[in-house]
Amino acid sequence: MRTWTTPAMNDLTNDDLSAASEAIGPQITALRRAIHADPELGLETPRTMAKVREALADLPLEWREGPSTTGQVAVLKGGAQREGESCRRVLLRGDMDALPMGEETGLDFASAIPGRMHACGHDSHTAMLFGAVRLLAERADRLAGEVMFMFQPGEEGFGGARLMIEDGLIEPLPDAAFAYHVIPNAPYGLFVCREGPLMASSDAFEIVVTGRGGHASMPHHAADPLPVACEIVTALQAMVTRRFAVADPVVVTVTQFRASDADNVISERCTLRGTIRTLSPETREKVHAACRDLVSGIATAHGMKGEFLVRQGFPVTRNDPRAVALAREVVTERFGSEAWHDLPDPLMTAEDFSYVLQAVPGAMVLLGAADPDADWQRAPGLHSPHMHIDERILPRGSALLAALAIRTLHGGLPAG
């Protein structure tokens, strides 16, 4: 355990952030509900951003905007920076966009917009970040450095984090960065994390098999691409299990299969779409090459043409061991050792906070948000139309974000 020598830091480490966060809990919850009822998609979340700005309008924040998204970064300057010392900076991030799906929770504040829902918890991420802003702003005169609060749209496949970085909104780059992801079917209040890869890279692929169309009653006069495409689906699964080690996981999942729209037509083309997940850049490239060869080879063997197209998505979400160590220490101090769990294996989901972690050492922490009085294992998961969280978790999340910022500004990341 490190000891802190500055009076400002001693005051802050002894500060009961949990009690302070509970005191503003109604404000945090109100913002979350307002955002939940009015979900926005993609890179354009102006109403959500306006709600955040209005809720923070009384604070001395410097706001930064860029041309690529409606996201903004708020900067809080601390008043305890010693003259002649370099300015230490920390970034806290909350994403704001929803999913294009209907909501079936029955909540009083359920989505008022058909076909849109905050089913991935971004409303709660934004609300917890709002709470952290208020907690840290109340203590700004004792902060030795700057805190960047990244309110980011476009996490659901749009790469909003990458665009905000490219717009220069987090320059100079901070010394560390932290973010949450709530898990609605994990034990209430449990902080879960791991060093190294936390989540996978995510790529979208399209396979087009081209044959020769014809009448369904005379397949011998056509070159039917559909059975060839079926063979490719099966071969992809065999390829994953036989060509890649289980210790370096690979997921290739076909999610769409499209050919003719009529029951008596052999289509000229069959199109498959899906996702590829890997945990290392090297394996990522090998999977792409193997898929390309497999598709071309099988189609050629049947006298047809096979094309494999891939659109690279988010890179691997890789946590810095020093940031994980700091988070583990702060959680244990604030909430007890039982509140922390080291995740044994990476998840094959993906996150665009990965772009931030490519540029800055940091960590994403998972936060269990199931109802503590119910069976968390039976709770609806992320991206479910029934997904919901226990809102009592929100002040706890805000308190930890604030504590992580304080510890980073006054002590930095521990030695590697």
Side-chain angles (χ1 to χ4, degrees), residues 166-345:
E166 291 176 354
D167 285 346
L169 299 186
I170 64 169
E171 294 179 359
L173 290 177
D175 299 278
F178 296 93
Y180 281 142
H181 206 301
V182 293
I183 306 296
N185 51 351
Y188 176 90
L190 188 66
F191 296 99
V192 181
C193 198
R194 74 185 309 275
E195 299 177 3
L198 175 72
M199 298 188 194
S201 62
S202 172
D203 301 321
F205 69 81
E206 179 178 273
I207 296 169
V208 180
V209 181
T210 304
R212 186 173 65 256
H215 199 289
S217 66
M218 295 177 283
H220 55 292
H221 290 316
D224 190 352
L226 196 147
V228 178
C230 291
E231 184 176 334
I232 288 173
V233 172
T234 303
L236 286 172
Q237 306 313 308
M239 177 200 74
V240 168
T241 60
R242 292 298 178 267
R243 294 185 59 179
F244 296 93
V246 294
D248 188 8
V250 171
V251 172
V252 178
T253 301
V254 178
T255 58
Q256 298 180 43
F257 196 117
R258 178 72 181 272
S260 172
D261 291 325
D263 57 11
N264 61 349
V265 173
I266 293 175
S267 177
E268 182 174 337
R269 293 181 183 84
C270 187
T271 301
L272 313 175
R273 293 188 177 91
T275 185
I276 296 172
R277 306 296 173 102
T278 60
L279 292 174
S280 69
E282 297 77 17
T283 300
R284 189 182 196 181
E285 292 304 315
K286 288 179 182 177
V287 173
H288 294 174
C291 288
R292 190 171 291 108
D293 291 345
L294 181 148
V295 170
S296 177
I298 292 177
T300 300
H302 291 276
M304 301 184 199
K305 180 182 179 182
E307 299 174 275
F308 176 80
L309 309 171
V310 65
R311 176 173 56 82
Q312 289 204 2
F314 303 156
V316 176
T317 303
R318 188 176 298 276
N319 285 338
D320 188 288
R322 298 168 298 165
V324 175
L326 185 147
R328 183 188 296 112
E329 184 177 298
V330 173
V331 167
T332 301
E333 289 175 359
R334 296 276 176 176
F335 304 106
S337 59
E338 68 280 2
W340 179 270
H341 176 68
D342 285 299
L343 187 69
D345 300 307

Side-chain angles (χ1 to χ4, degrees), residues 119-183:
C120 203
H122 297 184
D123 53 340
S124 58
H125 302 165
T126 299
M128 287 187 288
L129 183 58
F130 154 78
V133 178
R134 298 214 71 92
L135 292 172
L136 291 168
E138 291 171 0
R139 295 153 177 80
D141 60 330
R142 292 179 284 162
L143 292 178
E146 294 181 1
V147 188
M148 299 177 176
F149 305 97
M150 185 179 185
F151 292 95
Q152 180 217 308
E155 191 282 326
E156 294 291 348
F158 294 86
R162 175 179 59 82
L163 293 171
M164 292 182 72
I165 293 170
E166 291 176 354
D167 285 346
L169 299 186
I170 64 169
E171 294 179 359
L173 290 177
D175 299 278
F178 296 93
Y180 281 142
H181 206 301
V182 293
I183 306 296

